[in-house]
Amino acid sequence: MVAVLDRKSTEHGQGGKDGREASDRLRPLSMVRNIGIIAHIDAGKTTTTERMLYYAGKVHKMGEVHDGTAVMDWMAQEKERGITITSAATTCFWRDCQVNVIDTPGHVDFTVEVERSLRVLDGAVGVFCAVGGVQPQSETVWRQANKYGVPRLAFVNKMDRMGADFGRVVTAMRNKLGCNAVPVHLPIGAEESFDGVVDLVSMKALRFVGDDLGKTVREDAIPSGMAGVAEQARNRLVEAVAERDETVLDAYLAGADVAADVLRAGIRRATVAGAIVPVLCGSALRNKGVQAILDAVVDYLPSPLDVPVLKAHKINSDETVDRAADDFAPLSSLVFKVAADSYVGRMMYVRVYSGRLRRGQNVYNARTKRRERILKLVRLHADSREETESLDSGEIGGIAGLKDATTGDTLCAENAAVELERIRFPEPVVFMAIEPRTRADKDRLEESLSALVSEDPTCVLRTDDDTGQRIIGGMGELHLEIILDRLHREYGVQANTGKPMVAYHETLRQEAQADGVFDREIGGRRHFAAVSLRVSPGQRGSGVDVRIEAGTSEIPAEYRQHVEQGVRDGLATGVLCRYPMADVLAVVTGGRFDVESVSDVAFRTAAVLAFRDAAQLAGPELLEPVMDLEILVPDEFLGDVLTDISARRGRVRDVAAEEGGKAVRAEAPLAELFGYTTAVRSLSRGRASYTMEPCGFEVVPQSIVNQIVNR
C-alpha cells in the first residue's frame, strides 16, 4: 500500500480578510513557532530555509545560493559571495501553524547576528553537513543556543554527498556538543544512492517525488533490508524518550508497542525540556527531507506558551516580575536588531513577549526613559515589508520610525515599565583607520559610519587621541571588508583605509594600591580631592569591574559617579600602550576632600591619577586575541602547514584523520593570521581550507610588546 501525503500549507486561515480570527491574531499562541536556522558556514542553512518557504507556499520558486537567487540572501554582498551576512526574518504557515523563521549567518565574523536572533527565539534547527559533521562554527552557535536555553532539532544535510555518514555525525554531536542527540530518522542509502528517509515514529519510509521538486511526499513500507535496523533504532528512540518522560515510560512498561502519537508527544516534551535533540536527515539541495523538518518544527519545538515565563526587572527597582505570553498582559517587547531600510529609514526588529503593539500606540523606552509613538508596523520577509495594524504577543516583526531606539532596548507600557535583559555582544578584534577620499566625502562618511554602527553592535567607531584618525573596529577582515563595500554601494561614499590592526587589551599581573591627589587652581578657584584605589587582576574574560567601598564621609554621594567615571576613563586608555584594560577589578577604598574646594572635576581627575599609578605598580601586560583554527589539508601538505603554524606563534592541539586528508586543530594569535587565506592556499596548491573563530585573549611575549611600544 502506497500513500501520497498531502502536506499543503495554509497561507490564510478562517476569519477576516487576511486570515485573522476575531482576536485579530494570525494564529493562536499555541500554534506559533519562533525558530532560527543555525549552522557552520556552507552546511546548507539558506538552501534549507529556501526549501521550507517553497513547500510552505511562501515563495513560488526555489532560490539557489550558488546562483545568487536565494530570497533570504538579499544583500548584494550575500549574492556575490554565496554566504549569509545578515539574519533575515520571514513568516510562513505549515499545518495551520504560523512559523516565524530567522535564517542566520554561519561565518564567525557575523556571529552577532546569531547571538541576537537566539536571544528572542523559542526554538532552533541546527543544520549539519553529513560529510563535515560538527564543525567549529557548529560548536559556537550550539554554545550560543545553550546560553539562552533554546530547544533544538538537528538536520543532517547533504546526505547525497560523497563521504556522507549519518551515524558519524550523530556520534560527533554527542561527543563534541555534549547533547543527547537521538535520531528520529534513518537515511535510506547514502551518497549517490540516498533515496529518502525512514520515520522511526510512524515506522514508514518517506520518499520525495522528483517530478515536482520533491513537493509530493510518498509514504512507503520500510525497505525489507532495513526492517531490522529500523526496529532497533526505534527501540533506542523509545528508550531515550522513556528515560525522560513518564507517559512514554508507562506505555513502554505496559509491554505493547508505543503508539506513534504517544511517542510524538513524548518527544515534544523531552525536546522542549532540553533533554533530547531529535535528529533528522536529508538533502535540501536535492529536495529530500525538508517537509519533515517543518513537521518536526510543528510537532517538537515549543510555542511561546511552552517556554519559561519571561523575567523582567521593574524600572528603578531590583524587583523582578513575570511577563507571560498573553495579548492582554502589559506590553513588553525587545528590539533585537536595527537595520537601515532604503524606503522607511531605520527599521527595528522586535520580539513581542507580552501584550500587543499597535500602530499609533505610544510605547515607553526603558533605556531612554522616553515615550515614542509607533508610526508603522510591518511583517518581514527578507528585504520586503508588509504593513500590519498590530503585532501580537509571541510574534516577531518590524517597527519603522522610532528615533532613539537601538539594539537591546525594551519597549513597554509606561504604566507597567520593565526592562528586559540586554544582549551582550563580543568585543571587536580588528581595527582599521578610515578617512574620506575627498573633502566632499567627509560629512557623508561620518553620517554613513554612524548609521552602520547603529545597526551592528560589533562594529565600533572611535577617534585615536594621538593621531586624530577615525578608527573602525569589527570581528574580522571580512567584516571590515563588507562594511567598506556597503559604504560604497549603499551610501555612495569613497574612503581610504589603513591596514587592519589587532585589538590589543591591557591587563595586570598582581594587586596594587595607590593614591591620586588633584590640587589645582582653575579659573581663580582651587579644586581639591584625593582618591585611594586598589586594583587587582580578574579571571580571563571577566571584563572590568569598578566598585566604590569608600564611605560617604570620604566621598560624598553626589561625587561618587564622577569618581567611577574617572576610574573608567583610566581603564579605557590603559597605561602600557594606551589600549583599553581588560579583566581588572578596581576598588575605590577611600577619599579626601575640602568642603571649600571640592568639585566633580577634582574627584574625577584624582580617580584617573590613582588608577594609573596603581596600574603601573601592578605590573601591566599586553593581551592579544587568539583564534581557534581548524585546517582541512591533504596528507602530502600536512608538514608544511604544521611548520607554518609554528612560525606564526601557533600551537597545534590535535591532528585527526578526515575524509580526504587531515583536520588540524590549533590556536594562533590573530596578529599572525592576516592574509592566512592566501598563505594556506599557497602551501597546499589551493587544496586546503580553514575556518577560524576567536577563543580568547593571551599575554603577548615581551619581545612583541617591545616592538609595539617602539612603533
Side-chain angles (χ1 to χ4, degrees):
M1 181 73 180
V2 175
V4 177
L5 302 185
D6 183 16
R7 296 170 182 262
K8 291 182 180 178
S9 66
T10 51
E11 191 69 45
H12 302 294
Q14 303 295 319
K17 180 179 177 182
D18 64 349
R20 294 194 174 212
E21 300 175 334
S23 66
D24 206 36
R25 291 194 63 93
L26 287 175
R27 293 294 184 274
L29 266 171
S30 61
M31 301 180 70
V32 174
R33 304 288 184 272
N34 294 308
I35 67 163
I37 312 296
I38 59 174
H40 182 88
I41 190 170
D42 280 341
K45 297 179 306 303
T46 302
T47 301
T48 301
T49 307
E50 292 288 321
R51 268 56 178 176
M52 291 169 66
L53 298 180
Y54 175 74
Y55 296 131
K58 184 68 179 181
V59 298
H60 302 292
K61 182 181 178 182
M62 290 184 186
E64 301 293 354
V65 173
H66 53 270
D67 292 335
T69 57
V71 174
M72 301 300 273
D73 282 352
W74 56 270
M75 292 175 66
Q77 295 84 355
E78 294 176 318
K79 295 178 184 294
E80 290 174 356
R81 291 168 171 80
I83 62 171
T84 302
I85 292 171
T86 184
S87 55
T90 190
T91 299
C92 62
F93 297 85
W94 185 256
R95 285 170 41 192
D96 211 35
C97 278
Q98 176 185 345
V99 183
N100 302 316
V101 184
I102 296 181
D103 177 34
T104 66
H107 197 287
V108 65
D109 282 16
F110 311 107
T111 188
V112 61
E113 297 287 341
V114 185
E115 185 80 19
R116 57 185 173 189
S117 297
L118 287 172
R119 169 66 176 82
V120 299
L121 293 172
D122 301 324
V125 177
V127 180
F128 297 86
C129 174
V131 180
V134 177
Q135 297 166 286
Q137 190 66 5
S138 308
E139 298 182 57
T140 300
V141 297
W142 205 263
R143 286 195 299 270
Q144 289 173 302
N146 286 340
K147 180 165 74 172
Y148 295 112
V150 178
R152 276 144 283 174
L153 307 172
F155 176 63
V156 180
N157 192 24
K158 303 187 180 183
M159 283 301 305
D160 60 314
R161 286 268 307 274
M162 183 70 70
D165 189 332
F166 178 73
R168 177 168 54 82
V169 178
V170 173
T171 301
M173 288 180 64
R174 293 169 181 160
N175 294 339
K176 292 185 177 182
L177 304 179
C179 68
N180 187 17
V182 180
V184 295
H185 280 178
L186 288 183
I188 300 174
E191 301 179 343
E192 290 183 357
S193 63
F194 177 64
D195 190 39
V197 301
V198 173
D199 183 347
L200 298 176
V201 177
S202 64
M203 288 301 280
K204 297 288 184 182
L206 304 180
R207 301 181 190 273
F208 305 87
V209 180
D211 293 343
D212 60 355
L213 299 176
K215 204 166 188 177
T216 301
V217 182
R218 198 177 68 210
E219 210 174 68
D220 290 340
I222 297 173
S224 57
M226 289 190 66
V229 174
E231 190 65 39
Q232 293 175 2
R234 191 180 200 272
N235 289 338
R236 288 194 292 270
L237 169 62
V238 171
E239 290 171 3
V241 178
E243 288 176 0
R244 292 158 180 84
D245 187 83
E246 291 187 6
T247 303
V248 175
L249 177 61
D250 291 342
Y252 178 65
L253 294 177
D257 186 30
V258 178
D261 57 342
V262 174
L263 180 57
R264 195 173 287 115
I267 294 173
R268 175 182 179 78
R269 288 188 291 269
T271 303
V272 170
I276 68 169
V277 176
V279 185
L280 299 82
C281 62
S283 171
L285 187 63
R286 303 301 173 207
N287 311 316
K288 296 178 180 179
V290 177
Q291 293 96 323
I293 301 175
L294 285 162
D295 284 334
V297 166
V298 171
D299 289 335
Y300 304 141
L301 289 183
S303 75
L305 296 174
D306 298 318
V307 298
V309 173
L310 187 72
K311 300 291 183 183
H313 293 275
K314 279 190 174 181
I315 299 295
N316 301 322
S317 170
D318 293 332
E319 186 181 349
T320 60
V321 293
D322 292 342
R323 284 290 182 264
D326 181 352
D327 291 347
F328 302 102
L331 173 67
S332 62
S333 60
L334 183 73
V335 176
F336 66 95
K337 179 176 177 175
V338 178
D341 189 288
S342 55
Y343 298 104
V344 297
R346 296 175 78 231
M347 176 69 68
M348 315 292 164
Y349 287 51
V350 63
R351 161 72 190 263
V352 183
Y353 285 97
S354 64
R356 178 180 288 175
L357 275 173
R358 293 186 180 87
R359 189 166 66 88
Q361 172 185 5
N362 287 325
V363 296
Y364 184 73
N365 188 321
R367 177 183 62 86
T368 63
K369 307 293 191 294
R370 291 180 181 175
R371 184 188 305 155
E372 290 203 63
R373 190 174 183 82
I374 304 293
L375 300 178
K376 184 181 289 186
L377 289 172
V378 300
R379 297 190 182 280
L380 303 163
H381 178 50
D383 63 335
S384 62
R385 317 280 183 244
E386 176 192 343
E387 289 194 39
T388 184
E389 289 298 311
S390 68
L391 291 173
D392 306 310
S393 62
E395 291 192 324
I396 292 172
I399 306 175
L402 295 185
K403 295 179 180 178
D404 298 326
T406 189
T407 302
D409 281 1
T410 301
L411 304 179
C412 58
E414 189 170 2
N415 61 353
V418 295
E419 186 164 21
L420 306 179
E421 182 182 353
R422 296 186 69 86
I423 310 169
R424 294 187 63 183
F425 299 108
E427 293 287 328
V429 295
V430 178
F431 286 89
M432 181 171 63
I434 186 169
E435 61 184 24
R437 192 165 294 178
T438 66
R439 286 176 178 251
D441 283 328
K442 183 176 180 181
D443 291 339
R444 287 197 301 148
L445 175 63
E446 199 65 30
E447 291 173 6
S448 304
L449 286 173
S450 297
L452 289 172
V453 168
S454 72
E455 286 186 39
D456 186 350
T458 59
C459 174
V460 300
L461 188 64
R462 62 178 175 85
T463 301
D464 187 282
D465 293 334
D466 294 329
T467 65
Q469 285 181 304
R470 293 297 268 164
I471 307 293
I472 189 168
M475 296 304 297
E477 289 180 277
L478 179 61
H479 189 192
L480 294 181
E481 182 184 325
I482 296 296
I483 290 170
L484 295 176
D485 195 44
R486 291 188 63 192
L487 274 175
H488 174 58
R489 293 196 194 198
E490 297 176 26
Y491 298 94
V493 177
Q494 299 289 341
N496 295 325
T497 59
K499 291 183 179 179
M501 304 173 291
V502 174
Y504 292 103
H505 285 168
E506 297 180 22
T507 193
L508 305 175
R509 280 197 299 267
Q510 60 198 35
E511 184 177 301
Q513 180 146 348
D515 298 331
V517 179
F518 183 79
D519 189 354
R520 188 175 300 173
E521 187 173 303
I522 302 174
R525 176 175 175 255
R526 182 190 178 210
H527 294 258
F528 169 77
V531 170
S532 298
L533 181 138
R534 183 179 70 249
V535 295
S536 57
Q539 288 188 338
R540 194 72 73 236
S542 62
V544 296
D545 188 11
V546 179
R547 303 174 189 173
I548 300 180
E549 295 182 353
T552 53
S553 61
E554 297 171 300
I555 301 176
E558 62 267 31
Y559 295 111
R560 297 171 87 83
Q561 61 177 336
H562 301 293
V563 170
E564 180 177 344
Q565 189 57 56
V567 177
R568 293 195 179 277
D569 288 345
L571 286 163
T573 54
V575 294
L576 191 60
C577 305
R578 298 189 65 78
Y579 290 110
M581 305 289 287
D583 309 330
V584 171
L585 170 63
V587 181
V588 177
T589 57
R592 290 182 294 117
F593 66 97
D594 182 349
V595 176
E596 298 291 330
S597 54
V598 66
S599 68
D600 53 0
V601 172
F603 263 122
R604 182 168 178 168
T605 309
V608 173
L609 296 173
F611 175 81
R612 288 179 178 167
D613 288 348
Q616 289 284 8
L617 295 171
E621 53 190 7
L622 205 60
L623 296 175
E624 63 181 345
V626 176
M627 310 298 283
D628 259 334
L629 278 171
E630 181 167 308
I631 309 155
L632 299 178
V633 57
D635 291 333
E636 60 264 39
F637 304 111
L638 178 62
D640 292 337
V641 168
L642 295 179
T643 301
D644 184 66
I645 291 172
S646 297
R648 295 173 184 272
R649 297 194 282 127
R651 295 190 302 272
V652 176
R653 295 200 313 263
D654 180 44
V655 179
E658 289 282 350
E659 188 75 26
K662 294 290 191 294
V664 179
R665 295 178 179 86
E667 295 176 0
L670 175 61
E672 306 290 344
L673 294 175
F674 289 124
Y676 189 62
T677 300
T678 303
V680 77
R681 285 175 181 168
S682 176
L683 289 169
S684 63
R685 298 180 188 173
R687 295 174 61 192
S689 61
Y690 79 98
T691 57
M692 70 176 180
E693 62 180 15
C695 66
F697 283 77
E698 290 188 2
V699 176
V700 179
Q702 189 58 46
S703 59
I704 306 296
V705 174
N706 294 338
Q707 294 175 20
I708 295 171
V709 171
N710 294 326
R711 280 177 185 171

